[in-house]
Structure formats: structure tokens, C-alpha cells
Amino acid sequence: MRRSPWDVRRRKEEKKEGVVQKLGPQVGSRVPDFTLLDQKGQSQTLASLMGPKGLMLVFYRSADWCPYCKTQLAELQTRTADLGKNGIGLAAVSYDAVPILADFSKRRGITFPLLSDPGSATIKRYGILNTTVPETNQQSYGIPFPGTFMLNTQGVVTSRFFEQAYQERSTVGSIMARLGNKVEVQATTVSSPQLEMTSFATDSTVAPGTQFSLVLDVRPARGVHVYAPGVTGYKPIAFSVQPQPGLLTRGAQYPPSEDYHFKPLNEHVQVYQRPFRIVQDVLIDASPQAQTSLKDMTSMTIKGVLNYQACDDKVCFTPQTVPLTWTVSLRQLDRERAKP
């Protein structure tokens, strides 16, 4: 079957992603400091941007011509209060000139610092310059591989998030959920005598290229456990999302399990018997075909299922299948350019 230009491009991006993960400051290393002007023309450094508990430092391509970036920046603005409650500062870096950043900030109500990196000097120091763009490309040369660094107050990377393709952007809610933090969103709780589960989507409004998360916070009752994925001979817990057009899914992320010794059989198995979180990353498909099919849709309902069997020291209870549903609003990408 002949592949579309989008599929070919996406495969190249996915191959490149493995390389991008190795670029730039890694977890445990200190990032370079800088002095850059923000959209107000004020000088900013790591110290001036740092929150009481750290900094989220985002690198993106352009607030002028990149619709995925502009949509991402608007999403970041909606999370400034949540980040502030967690003591985390926020700033975003691009090669855009200050007037471009000022124009975009005024149009979209951006209040957090957008930093201008003329000549991409800081982008190069961070080692994330997109080297696939030739210097002859006057518009795009100097852009970074887009990604996010989470820094502690000493400027040391505690985690980093770089996507599989330039069209994709992890939301703040998704990043916070993957880090185990509380996310201020509407949630649904389902309870049984053996287990309590709270489910939520990290974002209520998404766009093509938005990567967000479906989250299950699970609390087994005292003395109760569920079996971890990969366990054989028992029914392990399993979370799945129903496939549908316009939605791409990543592998569900389960936390480390713990060893459980079943004394009657002198058996050791991996289980969860303390509160734990399952995070399923999902992505609104950014391909041209998907964007066409989603153009007239204002919302998307996502369906999933959690299968599990809870046990205690004496008995395994009846296996359970819990249907789950999330509805998110859909918006179009921001394609408005800066005014000349």
C-alpha cells in the first residue's frame, strides 16, 4: 500500500524522536543560564523566572507561523495558576523577535514570559537546535526541537518531555499527571468494597496535536491487592481505550509494583496494595485526513474499560469490568499570523 506524504513525514519524525531524546541537558544535569528579553522587553534569567519549587522551561518553534506552538502557548496560559499553586515558574523560548512575541501576547492574553532568543544562541547552547533545517531556510532556520524541561531551584533537570513529532504537544496537565501531581479538573469516582477509583482527563479542551492523559487514581481497600500487568496465573489489572477515528493512543503507564508473598502457596507475585496511578496518554490526530474529519466536530467522547480482580489474603473476588467515559471539547489550531 502506498503511503501518503504525511505518513512518510511522520515515520521520519518518529525515527528522529529517538535521537532528540538524547539531545540537550539530561535528567540530573544543570542547564545553561541565559539573559533574554521577554515580550515586554524586560530581561529575564533562570533566577528571575524560577518559582519556589522550580521552573517549567518550554522550547517551541514560533509564535508567528507555527499553529501547534500557538495553540500550545494558549494552553500553557490556562495552567499558570495551577503551576503557581505547585510553586513552579513558567517560561517559553523561541527565536521570535520581541515585537512578534508582544503581538501574539496581546492577541491571546499571554501573561507568562515569552523569551526572545535572537540568533538562537540559547537554543544552540542547550543543544536542541533543529539541524534538519538548512541555513538557507530563512523562515525556519534556528528553531529548536520542541520540548519541555522541568527544573528544580538549582536549575537541574528533574524530567524532560520531547514528543514523537513536531505537531505534538504535551499539555501541562498531562505532564503534571505523569509526575504524580494533583491536577485541578473535574473527576469521577467509582467505589466498591474492594477498591475506589477516581478517573479524569487532564484537559477539557484539546486541538489537533494535543497530547493529554486519561488518569485513573486507584485506592485498594485495606488488606486488598490487585495484580500488576505481566503477572501470569492471575487476572492482572488492565486499562484500555476504545479506538476511534481522530484519536491516537500511547501505551498505558503503570507504576512500579511491589512483591506480595502468598504464604499458603509460598508464592511471590507482583501486586498493587497501596494507592497508585495509571496514566494513559492519548493524542488528537494531527494528520490532514484527521483534521478534515474533525473539522465540524465540537467535542469527542472517549470510551475505555478497566478490568481487574481484587483479592485479599483469603479469597479472590469476582472479576470486575468498569466502563469509563470522558468528553473533551475540540478546537481548531491557531493559524493567525502576527500583524506586519
Side-chain angles (χ1 to χ4, degrees), residues 79 171-190 196-203 211-219 237 239-241 251-255 275-282 302 304-306 322-326 328:
R79 293 293 193 177
T171 65
V172 173
S174 176
I175 289 174
M176 299 304 283
R178 282 182 267 176
L179 295 176
N181 294 331
K182 183 178 181 181
V183 183
E184 298 288 346
V185 292
Q186 185 175 358
T188 300
T189 299
V190 178
E196 179 183 273
M197 181 190 65
T198 299
S199 71
F200 61 89
T202 56
D203 295 82
Q211 180 168 298
F212 60 109
S213 300
L214 309 175
V215 182
L216 305 182
D217 284 329
V218 184
R219 182 183 296 273
I237 192 167
F239 176 40
S240 60
V241 174
Q253 302 167 43
Y254 295 84
F276 65 98
R277 170 173 287 185
I278 304 171
V279 179
Q280 171 68 68
D281 290 337
V282 291
I302 305 169
V305 171
L306 179 71
V322 182
L324 301 163
T325 302
W326 305 266
V328 294

Side-chain angles (χ1 to χ4, degrees), residues 2 17 27 42 65 80 82 109 227 231-232 277 320 323-324:
R2 185 173 182 180
E17 188 268 344
V27 172
Q42 298 176 346
W65 52 265
T80 54
D82 291 342
Y227 293 98
V231 168
T232 57
R277 170 173 287 185
Q320 300 293 312
L324 301 163

Side-chain angles (χ1 to χ4, degrees), residues 135-175:
E135 293 188 43
T136 53
N137 187 326
Q138 295 183 0
Q139 173 179 274
S140 300
Y141 180 74
I143 63 173
F145 289 110
T148 299
F149 294 98
M150 299 298 296
L151 311 177
N152 66 16
T153 54
Q154 286 74 48
V156 174
V157 179
T158 57
S159 57
R160 42 176 282 159
F161 301 88
F162 282 75
E163 313 303 346
Q164 292 188 13
Y166 72 85
Q167 301 90 350
E168 301 175 9
R169 297 291 190 279
S170 286
T171 65
V172 173
S174 176
I175 289 174

